[in-house]
Amino acid sequence: MVRKTVVITGASRGIGKACAFAFAKRDCNLIITNSKDTDSIRAVAADLREITGGFVHTFTGDLGDPDRVRRLFGEIAVSVGGADILVNNAGISITGLINKTSDEDWNRILSSNLSSAFYCCRSAVPYMVKQKSGRIINVSSVWGVHGASCEVAYSATKAGINGLTKALAKELAPSKIAVNAIAFGCVDTDMNACYSEEERKVLEEEISAGYFLSPEEAGEAIAKLSEMPDYLTGQIITMDGGWI
């Protein structure tokens, strides 16, 4: 059986890291990225190599920069030909009132959360079209659907991810390439470590399931979504434990 090649952005921690381990258990080739810390992504790669018999490659760089994305996919082309599955997970969160959100903050979150996904899709698609198969999974948020007070910038970028997902799915469906997003609720990651114990308890009481989703559950959901038929496409799948 030919191993599938999976590209996962933002894979040094949280959902991206857990997603990499979910695909490693499926014996895939893995290309994992992060933005700055070379040591952390290499440490994840070392652990992944103990699980998968496939190829594991790391890349560190700002994927909001189109030239760096071209370099990443150039390395992928040389090593394994191209990506069968792309998981756009890289992202940051900025909280605060809109009038307190600086130009720099807006440009940074737009670049990290939305531009990076667009550039990675643009670079991944030619190989998938040539193969007449592929899966693109974008990590979104319930706030991209419903919006969150004091998270206007974050909500806007995730809404953009949802729009990208729906439009690209229509464009690529004739080539048997499925494009979907998972809109997660509260996931137990560093991004949500800002909550105090009291705030966390209040949130857990609001979630019907009664707890924050683990990164491992999120990663497994992404991997399973990649295994669905290509007829499932253009969907924003909410995974929030009955919260919103």
Side-chain angles (χ1 to χ4, degrees), residues 179-241:
V179 187
N180 292 291
I182 301 185
F184 289 110
C186 282
V187 185
D188 198 5
T189 63
D190 291 346
M191 188 178 287
N192 287 323
C194 58
Y195 296 118
S196 67
E197 284 299 317
E198 183 177 350
E199 290 170 331
R200 184 182 174 108
K201 184 177 180 181
V202 169
L203 278 172
E204 288 175 339
E205 289 174 352
E206 292 177 355
I207 299 168
S208 297
Y211 66 95
F212 281 28
L213 185 72
S214 72
E216 291 72 24
E217 288 173 304
E220 186 63 22
I222 292 168
K224 286 182 176 177
L225 179 56
S226 76
E227 297 167 346
M228 296 298 290
D230 60 82
Y231 204 78
L232 176 63
T233 193
Q235 302 306 302
I236 314 301
I237 300 166
T238 298
M239 189 172 185
D240 68 354

Side-chain angles (χ1 to χ4, degrees), residues 15 88-98 101-102 105-114 138-162 182-187 189-192 195 243:
I15 294 174
N88 285 308
N89 168 73
I92 60 173
S93 175
I94 293 174
T95 60
L97 297 170
I98 190 170
T101 304
S102 68
D105 284 342
W106 168 248
N107 287 323
R108 184 162 59 94
I109 196 169
L110 185 64
S111 175
S112 177
N113 293 12
L114 184 55
N138 298 316
V139 174
S140 187
S141 166
V142 291
W143 300 141
V145 179
H146 301 281
S149 174
C150 295
E151 291 192 63
V152 170
Y154 179 78
S155 299
T157 60
K158 292 303 184 180
I161 284 290
N162 294 347
I182 301 185
F184 289 110
C186 282
V187 185
T189 63
D190 291 346
M191 188 178 287
N192 287 323
Y195 296 118
W243 180 27

Side-chain angles (χ1 to χ4, degrees), residues 14-205:
I15 294 174
K17 179 179 177 180
C19 182
F21 279 93
F23 280 109
K25 292 173 183 176
R26 289 163 168 81
D27 208 23
C28 295
N29 294 321
L30 296 166
I31 292 88
I32 56 174
T33 84
N34 70 342
S35 60
K36 295 178 182 178
D37 186 356
T38 302
D39 290 340
S40 65
I41 200 71
R42 286 179 177 172
V44 173
D47 291 338
L48 290 170
R49 290 187 183 105
E50 295 182 3
I51 299 173
T52 182
F55 172 86
V56 181
H57 179 72
T58 65
F59 183 91
T60 298
D62 176 11
L63 300 184
D65 178 345
D67 289 332
R68 295 206 178 188
V69 174
R70 291 185 186 99
R71 179 183 157 196
L72 166 63
F73 280 86
E75 292 179 9
I76 295 169
V78 169
S79 59
V80 288
D84 300 296
I85 300 167
L86 168 64
V87 180
N88 285 308
N89 168 73
I92 60 173
S93 175
I94 293 174
T95 60
L97 297 170
I98 190 170
N99 60 311
K100 300 295 184 181
T101 304
S102 68
D103 295 346
E104 292 76 14
D105 284 342
W106 168 248
N107 287 323
R108 184 162 59 94
I109 196 169
L110 185 64
S111 175
S112 177
N113 293 12
L114 184 55
S115 294
S116 65
F118 175 86
Y119 295 143
C120 286
C121 286
R122 187 175 65 181
S123 289
V125 160
Y127 176 83
M128 293 182 180
V129 169
K130 183 179 179 180
Q131 301 299 311
K132 291 292 183 181
S133 67
R135 299 288 183 272
I136 296 174
I137 300 171
N138 298 316
V139 174
S140 187
S141 166
V142 291
W143 300 141
V145 179
H146 301 281
S149 174
C150 295
E151 291 192 63
V152 170
Y154 179 78
S155 299
T157 60
K158 292 303 184 180
I161 284 290
N162 294 347
L164 182 155
T165 299
K166 288 180 173 292
L168 189 57
K170 292 179 178 179
E171 187 171 318
L172 297 180
S175 297
K176 305 297 182 183
I177 301 165
V179 187
N180 292 291
I182 301 185
F184 289 110
C186 282
V187 185
D188 198 5
T189 63
D190 291 346
M191 188 178 287
N192 287 323
C194 58
Y195 296 118
S196 67
E197 284 299 317
E198 183 177 350
E199 290 170 331
R200 184 182 174 108
K201 184 177 180 181
V202 169
L203 278 172
E204 288 175 339
E205 289 174 352

